[in-house]
Amino acid sequence: MSPDTVFFLILVSLLGASFLVMLSGHDNSNAIALPVRSGALTPFRALLLTAAMRVIGVILGALLIDFAVEEFCVHFPEGPLGLLGIAAALATALAWGILTWSRGVPSSSSHALTAGLLGAGLAMVLTGNHDIPWLAMGPTTWALLVSLVASPLAGGLLAWVLTFPALWLARDVNPSTVNPRARMTLAVTGAANALGHGIQYGARIYAITVVALPLAGLQVGTTWWIPVATAVCMVAGTFLGGWRIAHTLTERLVTIDPLRSSIASLTSAALLIGGAFGLQLPLSSSLTTAGAVVGAGHNQRHHSVRWPQAGRIGIYYVLTVVLCGATALLVTAGFSPLWD
């Protein structure tokens, strides 16, 4: 193994661990914002429950590695050039996550990473350093675009529709009875969302690790350590908090009651887990949660959704794909001639 290969393998490992820690803290709000805001869980208990459920999700997610990221990464060339592309994608997604976290904007780290991988692969094609068949990039591109559009739309529409039967069932029930039951539901669905996070993120990091090692000329061998390392990073990142983005979801974006909060949380959990096992799409917990919150909040008599804030979040979702893809492309194109 050449010194350059060793360097990039270490770099990919460090960036992957840093990305996981950032991702866990960044996306905490998607699991804990609604339960904590509604009083279903205290902040500490919410973080503790989230950490435990993410560990379980990572173990399950390791079984679901047949998705677009792995199918695309497998076409990267062996040696420093292939590892450079993965490092560029991870670094770009990490930087974007830190930026949006500082601004309190829920953004999709999954789409940032996938767009970065696409940009890195396209750079290798444009510079002539490696011939990646377009057919290998096509499914990844479509999976990225479909999940980018479908996640918020499905979350919003499903939450909006489910609000009708829930309100009908609670029409003659005293709020003092409805709210405690809704908070109990929120505690359960918050845990389910954290489980969905672990499944989705575990699959991505597992796939990248399994692909990166052969690019460095190493045999994967026993892979039990990959879920363990992933779980450790995610637990560490969970306790970073993420309250800035939680405030955006529950205060700046929309204010909803415990019943509608439970519907939004249930919707996002169902889509994340169902998307992982049923469709194996890289669904974004941020996109899904934001869409579900808007859908449930919109189904109220008073106008509680702050549409300028929703539009701001939508702009960041589009910029996630455009800027992360372009940045990874430029970084890879700039350095790849050194290992042509």
Side-chain angles (χ1 to χ4, degrees):
M1 187 185 302
S2 67
D4 289 340
T5 300
V6 173
F7 169 77
F8 276 109
L9 181 60
I10 295 174
L11 181 62
V12 167
S13 301
L14 294 176
L15 287 173
S18 301
F19 175 73
L20 263 178
V21 173
M22 179 281 301
L23 173 64
S24 301
H26 185 286
D27 287 3
N28 272 340
S29 58
N30 302 325
I32 66 177
L34 294 173
V36 172
R37 173 65 175 78
S38 300
L41 294 169
T42 64
F44 179 75
R45 289 180 178 178
L47 291 176
L48 194 62
L49 180 62
T50 298
M53 296 306 296
R54 280 176 170 173
V55 170
I56 298 174
V58 166
I59 297 173
L60 295 176
L63 305 176
L64 300 172
I65 63 172
D66 184 21
F67 68 105
V69 171
E70 185 203 13
E71 292 174 359
F72 181 64
C73 283
V74 76
H75 293 280
F76 276 29
E78 293 184 6
L81 182 58
L83 293 173
L84 167 65
I86 296 178
L90 286 169
T92 301
L94 174 62
W96 182 251
I98 294 174
L99 174 64
T100 54
W101 192 351
S102 67
R103 292 178 172 270
V105 179
S107 64
S108 174
S109 299
S110 302
H111 287 86
L113 177 59
T114 310
L117 290 169
L118 279 169
L122 184 58
M124 296 178 194
V125 174
L126 295 178
T127 57
N129 290 312
H130 187 63
D131 183 20
I132 299 178
W134 176 250
L135 291 178
M137 301 175 66
T140 305
T141 305
W142 281 111
L144 176 68
L145 295 177
V146 167
S147 61
L148 181 67
V149 176
S151 294
L153 291 181
L157 181 60
L158 184 57
W160 184 80
V161 170
L162 289 178
T163 303
F164 287 105
L167 293 176
W168 184 82
L169 292 173
R171 68 190 186 284
D172 296 326
V173 184
N174 193 292
S176 62
T177 302
V178 173
N179 289 339
R181 292 179 179 177
R183 292 187 179 99
M184 291 176 62
T185 303
L186 274 166
V188 175
T189 55
N193 272 291
L195 178 68
H197 295 174
I199 293 173
Q200 292 279 345
Y201 305 155
R204 285 154 182 69
I205 299 301
Y206 191 98
I208 289 177
T209 306
V210 169
V211 171
L213 290 177
L215 293 183
L218 299 175
Q219 296 293 327
V220 176
T222 304
T223 58
W224 61 267
W225 59 271
I226 301 177
V228 172
T230 301
V232 169
C233 291
M234 292 196 71
V235 169
T238 298
F239 289 97
L240 292 177
W243 306 114
R244 184 186 297 268
I245 297 177
H247 178 70
T248 298
L249 286 174
T250 59
E251 300 291 341
R252 295 180 180 176
L253 180 60
V254 60
T255 302
I256 54 179
D257 55 44
L259 177 60
R260 290 178 174 83
S261 294
S262 65
I263 294 171
S265 185
L266 173 64
T267 299
S268 59
L271 289 175
L272 282 177
I273 297 175
F277 284 103
L279 301 176
Q280 294 189 355
L281 279 176
L283 296 180
S284 165
S285 61
S286 297
L287 287 168
T288 306
T289 302
V293 168
V294 170
H298 186 60
N299 198 341
Q300 296 183 116
R301 292 182 180 178
H302 59 284
H303 298 289
S304 61
V305 179
R306 297 171 179 84
W307 291 109
Q309 183 66 31
R312 174 173 175 256
I313 294 174
I315 291 174
Y316 270 88
Y317 284 154
V318 176
L319 290 177
T320 296
V321 174
V322 176
L323 294 183
C324 290
T327 302
L329 186 152
L330 293 175
V331 171
T332 306
F335 287 97
S336 59
L338 299 177
W339 291 277
D340 185 1

